Amino acid sequence: MRKTLVLTALLILPIAPAFADQTPAADDSGKLSVKQHLTKMMLSDESFVKKAAVAGRAEIELSKLALEKTSTPQIREFAQRMVKDHTAAATELKTIAQSKNIAVPSELDKEHEQTAEKLRNLNGADFDAAYVDAMQKDHEKAVNLFTAAAADEKLDKQLQQFASKTLPILRGHQHDVHGMEGANVSSTK
């Protein structure tokens, strides 16, 4: 029986990443989804720093755009908090990463650069809806990443503690941005 389980696992693991994006996030009971387990298994100190740094930089850059373009008070307040919270987290992450000799990316990845370009070309309600949609998607990914990192015993202890400390803030952002859907802001889902 044990050999069967091991063989099954060996056969499934190579193809599992292809299905990782098709699985739901953790449910309300806090159980990890298959996607989160796969992320957890594939995290290294370097990959967590890279993903966390790029995600944080994206939140800052997209939120600075929101501060320039939105006239919606709720979005302006949210964007100010994004810049403040993610700048503080980025500073802490950079300090930890430098102490471990881990390079911290200084630019957005292709996906976030495309989102920023899209937002630069929008105005008014179209901008607001696209910004809220981007924040919803990005915070879902960030919560999944930080949940996996906080639970990953193989990750550097300082990085794991950083993830644990930052996770409640990200969950708060996620909650707040989902609350914007019905309040004078419509999402483009």
Side-chain angles (χ1 to χ4, degrees):
M1 174 81 171
R2 185 175 176 158
K3 285 182 181 179
T4 304
L5 288 174
V6 170
L7 287 174
T8 302
L10 291 173
L11 291 172
I12 292 173
L13 283 178
I15 62 167
F19 297 98
D21 288 334
Q22 299 174 12
T23 58
D27 61 18
D28 292 335
S29 70
K31 293 180 183 175
L32 293 178
S33 67
V34 171
K35 180 178 180 179
Q36 289 168 322
H37 282 292
L38 289 170
T39 301
K40 179 180 168 185
M41 290 183 340
M42 291 186 266
L43 276 182
S44 67
D45 295 347
E46 292 81 12
S47 69
F48 172 70
V49 167
K50 180 182 178 185
K51 290 174 184 181
V54 168
R57 179 173 284 284
E59 302 304 334
I60 294 165
E61 295 301 319
L62 298 180
S63 294
K64 284 180 178 179
L65 272 173
L67 291 171
E68 292 173 17
K69 292 182 148 262
T70 192
S71 60
T72 306
Q74 188 178 15
I75 289 180
R76 179 169 296 286
E77 182 181 314
F78 180 79
Q80 287 170 336
R81 198 166 88 244
M82 291 304 97
V83 171
K84 177 182 162 265
D85 292 351
H86 286 282
T87 298
T91 300
E92 184 176 353
L93 179 62
K94 186 175 183 178
T95 300
I96 295 168
Q98 286 176 335
S99 75
K100 312 283 179 205
N101 293 318
I102 299 172
V104 179
S106 60
E107 296 185 10
L108 296 178
D109 60 3
K110 185 177 178 178
E111 175 188 351
H112 287 104
E113 188 53 53
Q114 288 173 342
T115 301
E117 187 60 34
K118 175 184 170 186
L119 289 175
R120 283 185 201 103
N121 293 316
L122 296 173
N123 293 302
D126 291 338
F127 173 85
D128 289 350
Y131 172 73
V132 168
D133 186 57
M135 290 297 102
Q136 288 174 347
K137 289 175 182 173
D138 285 354
H139 278 88
E140 182 176 334
K141 290 176 186 176
V143 166
N144 286 341
L145 173 65
F146 278 71
T147 298
D152 191 341
E153 296 294 327
K154 292 179 183 171
L155 202 64
D156 174 84
K157 293 300 176 207
Q158 278 187 292
L159 291 173
Q160 189 181 24
Q161 289 170 353
F162 168 75
S164 294
K165 180 177 126 181
T166 307
L167 187 55
I169 296 165
L170 294 173
R171 285 185 176 143
H173 296 167
Q174 184 181 38
H175 176 268
D176 291 347
V177 77
H178 280 287
M180 286 189 215
E181 270 185 312
N184 298 327
V185 177
S186 60
S187 179
T188 57
K189 282 189 172 184

